[in-house]
Amino acid sequence: MQYKKNHKSTNKHQDSTPAQVLMVQGTTSDAGKTTLVAGLCRLFARRGVKVAPFKPQNMALNSAVTIEGGEIGRAQALQAIACGLPLQTDFNPILLKPSSDTGAQIIVQGKALDQMEAKTFFGLQGGGANEKTGYRVKAMSAVLESFTRLSASYETIFVEGAGSPAEINLREGDIANMGFAEEVDCPVIIIADIDKGGVFAHLVGTLALLSESEQARVKGFVINRFRGDISLLQPGLDWLEAYTNKPVLGVLPYLHDLHLDAEDTIVPPLKAASEGKEHRHKLKVLVFIFPRMSNHTDFDPLRLNPQIEFHYVSMQTQSQSTSLQLPAADLIILPGSKNVRADLAFMRQQGWDIGLAKHLRYGGKVLGICGGFQMLGLLIDDPTGVEGEAGETEGLGYLSLVTELKPNKVLRQVSGQLSLLDEQAQVKGYEIHCGISRILNTQQQPVTLEVDDELLNDGILSSDGQVLGTYLHGLFDSPEACSLLLKWAGLNQATAVDINGIREEQLNRFADQLAQNLDIAQIESILARR
């Protein structure tokens, strides 16, 4: 049965869409949209349904590389894995990667647009209302194009919204929440995180700020991360259903130690990883948090490893920064960055460069990944303003390379071999960077990658063996390579965490919870009514 809207649409897309579609929207960011969609994808995939994820527009610095050499948000990568699918750009056709407080790189169907391309593509010439309209029209066109291809190939599509649908200031140009749902005429469920407090106000308030037709397509609520006795919550659930005339489709429990890829939130280290009787034998690892830090999921295999005492180093206050003392560490990691020169300036402002020099004087190891690798070199040149204001910045000077930022990104999935300590290990990951680095002196390049049937060298190991840099993301995801890196850092009997195995276990664990705590029959009925 065709789901009926309360308004007359001029879009004919819904009439030709064979797939069943359900959109998950949230009362806030981090309400649980990504996880719920991933869990539903895994649950339906286990039942033999040909299912795919979709997110019209995403804003995140954590991204992944697809099989065709495109770029999508980390959330859709997780959801694709939950479906058992290779990554595709159609899963996330619009991705915004913030490069400053007011600017972002726009990625359309996997391809990053430079500033001039973006102005041409979206018609962003006049500013004001014209700018919003131009963006929405062109972006929605790309979104519907990707969605149509998926709809023709899959039986069921679970769509993830972004932030909240009740952001009044963003409604005019919305393509991420109800703007999309109205275009394709799909039902919506709304999830709220009770752990944040005020869950009933969140749900009722969100619903109240929607238009009449938008309210009509909301088919139920899900409450996330509940702890305690469900009977104490039941009066509130009964009131909510009576007040809104919409069902509560489930109450999901707070799951301790649920380890799934986080897209935006930097997950704190586990207490178990920094406490215990063997504390003095753990490898101490520090990772700097930059304002535009990207791909922090690189470090999940370290954060979850019980042999590692893992810490993030975050911004200090102005009074602290002049006398900063970094915690003692065996390994300090400089992560990826969406704005390398600005994050390097931030690092110096915090005094981390002084702490890094001291760390090296005492024999510690340093690893730079992607943007962090560029920072370890001699110079970063951005002649055309790819990541901000045009100009150049002197690097930290630990590796003999010069980097020039270019508009065209290097995006590819790669595999190869890591060579350290006269040992070799297989490694697999991905590259995602704007910079092209030129090595000035012959130095050891520890990574050999297979790219288009060619062998390419990647990264640099300093002559004293203390500083290592590479463009390879996912470096610790390969257990064999992770063990070798931990040995290089000082952990002689290292046992790596299999992050891919953990991800599979956790996806199945969460899908089991959905089967137990969600009204799946009612969700199937909502899908069938479309």
Side-chain angles (χ1 to χ4, degrees):
M1 184 174 84
Q2 178 75 18
Y3 174 74
K4 300 296 184 183
K5 294 200 296 186
N6 285 2
H7 75 296
K8 189 174 182 180
S9 173
T10 58
N11 181 38
K12 298 181 180 180
H13 177 80
Q14 62 268 17
D15 298 330
S16 60
T17 303
Q20 296 182 332
V21 183
L22 177 63
M23 188 171 194
V24 175
Q25 297 180 11
T27 56
T28 62
S29 294
D30 200 32
K33 299 182 292 293
T34 294
T35 310
L36 180 55
V37 169
L40 288 170
C41 284
R42 174 53 58 95
L43 183 62
F44 276 67
R46 291 194 316 198
R47 296 182 172 193
V49 177
K50 193 175 182 183
V51 59
F54 187 73
K55 185 163 186 171
Q57 177 177 280
N58 201 348
M59 178 177 284
L61 288 174
N62 251 17
S63 58
V65 177
T66 68
I67 54 174
E68 66 264 57
E71 192 174 358
I72 61 174
R74 174 64 55 176
Q76 283 59 65
L78 172 67
Q79 292 158 359
I81 292 170
C83 297
L85 299 174
L87 310 190
Q88 303 174 38
T89 55
D90 281 338
F91 295 155
N92 177 205
I94 303 292
L95 174 62
L96 308 178
K97 300 188 77 173
S99 56
S100 68
D101 289 343
T102 58
Q105 184 180 61
I106 301 173
I107 297 167
V108 179
Q109 294 176 334
K111 178 184 180 294
L113 306 183
D114 64 27
Q115 292 181 359
M116 290 306 298
E117 285 179 315
K119 287 181 179 180
T120 301
F121 183 85
F122 294 112
L124 308 182
Q125 305 291 346
N130 290 337
E131 185 168 310
K132 283 186 178 180
T133 302
Y135 177 84
R136 188 187 190 281
V137 169
K138 290 297 183 73
M140 184 65 86
S141 176
V143 164
L144 294 179
E145 184 180 85
S146 290
F147 181 73
T148 299
R149 284 194 289 263
L150 293 180
S151 299
S153 302
Y154 295 93
E155 298 171 328
T156 299
I157 300 175
F158 288 109
V159 183
E160 179 187 347
S164 163
E167 302 291 352
I168 303 303
N169 56 309
L170 300 177
R171 173 166 291 177
E172 182 181 351
D174 175 49
I175 66 169
N177 290 299
M178 285 299 179
F180 171 80
E182 296 270 81
E183 282 285 340
V184 302
D185 192 14
C186 73
V188 171
I189 61 175
I190 298 179
I191 185 170
D193 181 1
I194 196 171
D195 202 49
K196 297 183 187 298
V199 69
F200 298 112
H202 282 176
L203 288 167
V204 173
T206 297
L207 193 67
L209 291 174
L210 302 179
S211 69
E212 183 180 346
S213 64
E214 292 167 350
Q215 290 176 357
R217 68 178 61 258
V218 175
K219 297 305 174 184
F221 305 119
V222 175
I223 293 177
N224 192 24
R225 306 216 303 174
F226 175 74
R227 335 182 191 211
D229 185 350
I230 190 70
S231 66
L232 299 178
L233 185 66
Q234 192 60 51
L237 302 180
D238 295 340
W239 175 89
L240 180 65
E241 291 186 331
Y243 186 84
T244 64
N245 198 30
K246 297 182 187 297
V248 175
L249 300 170
V251 177
L252 306 180
Y254 188 104
L255 296 181
H256 294 278
D257 300 326
L258 180 66
H259 305 304
L260 290 173
D261 310 53
E263 184 169 60
D264 295 309
T265 305
I266 297 178
V267 182
L270 300 178
K271 289 184 178 180
S274 58
E275 298 177 355
K277 296 180 180 179
E278 301 301 321
H279 175 81
R280 65 184 181 276
H281 300 301
K282 294 178 184 290
L283 186 77
K284 298 178 181 178
V285 177
L286 303 182
V287 175
F288 292 154
I289 298 181
F290 300 135
R292 301 300 169 191
M293 176 182 181
S294 63
N295 296 79
H296 58 75
T297 47
D298 281 344
F299 312 115
D300 285 352
L302 304 182
R303 188 177 57 83
L304 299 175
N305 192 323
Q307 292 182 292
I308 293 175
E309 181 185 344
F310 184 92
H311 295 281
Y312 284 114
V313 179
S314 57
M315 182 175 66
Q316 307 294 310
T317 64
Q318 186 66 32
S319 59
Q320 290 174 322
S321 63
T322 56
S323 58
L324 172 70
Q325 295 291 324
L326 292 176
D330 300 296
L331 173 64
I332 294 179
I333 301 178
L334 280 61
S337 166
K338 186 64 191 73
N339 194 325
V340 180
R341 293 172 59 225
D343 279 348
L344 179 54
F346 170 85
M347 177 180 170
R348 285 174 166 140
Q349 182 185 20
Q350 298 302 305
W352 294 347
D353 57 331
I354 298 172
L356 195 68
K358 181 179 178 181
H359 168 78
L360 287 169
R361 286 198 303 271
Y362 280 83
K365 300 292 176 62
V366 172
L367 170 65
I369 298 176
C370 198
F373 173 37
Q374 296 171 354
M375 293 179 192
L376 291 171
L378 301 173
L379 184 72
I380 303 161
D381 186 17
D382 189 359
T384 61
V386 172
E387 292 186 347
E389 186 178 348
E392 60 182 37
T393 299
E394 183 179 350
L396 296 171
Y398 294 114
L399 297 175
S400 182
L401 76 153
V402 171
T403 299
E404 180 179 342
L405 302 183
K406 295 178 177 292
N408 295 327
K409 280 189 177 182
V410 175
L411 289 162
R412 57 194 178 197
Q413 296 180 358
V414 292
S415 60
Q417 187 175 77
L418 171 68
S419 299
L420 283 172
L421 306 175
D422 296 323
E423 297 182 31
Q424 286 77 42
Q426 295 301 306
V427 67
K428 186 177 181 180
Y430 59 99
E431 291 185 62
I432 177 170
H433 56 91
C434 295
I436 301 298
S437 295
R438 178 167 53 92
I439 297 176
L440 301 184
N441 298 323
T442 302
Q443 294 182 318
Q444 181 178 346
Q445 294 189 263
V447 181
T448 304
L449 301 175
E450 301 173 12
V451 179
D452 298 330
D453 298 325
E454 293 185 27
L455 295 180
L456 301 178
N457 292 325
D458 171 77
I460 298 177
L461 179 66
S462 63
S463 57
D464 60 9
Q466 285 186 256
V467 182
L468 171 63
T470 177
Y471 273 119
L472 189 62
H473 289 287
L475 194 62
F476 298 107
D477 291 4
S478 304
E480 186 182 349
C482 184
S483 294
L484 183 53
L485 282 163
L486 296 181
K487 184 177 179 181
W488 166 75
L491 191 62
N492 290 328
Q493 295 182 333
T495 301
V497 166
D498 181 1
I499 194 65
N500 298 312
I502 289 175
R503 184 184 295 112
E504 284 297 309
E505 291 172 2
Q506 296 299 306
L507 282 169
N508 285 324
R509 175 191 177 197
F510 190 65
D512 291 342
Q513 287 295 325
L514 296 189
Q516 181 178 344
N517 294 287
L518 277 189
D519 190 339
I520 300 300
Q522 196 162 0
I523 287 176
E524 290 176 327
S525 177
I526 293 169
L527 282 164
R529 288 203 300 269
R530 187 180 186 280

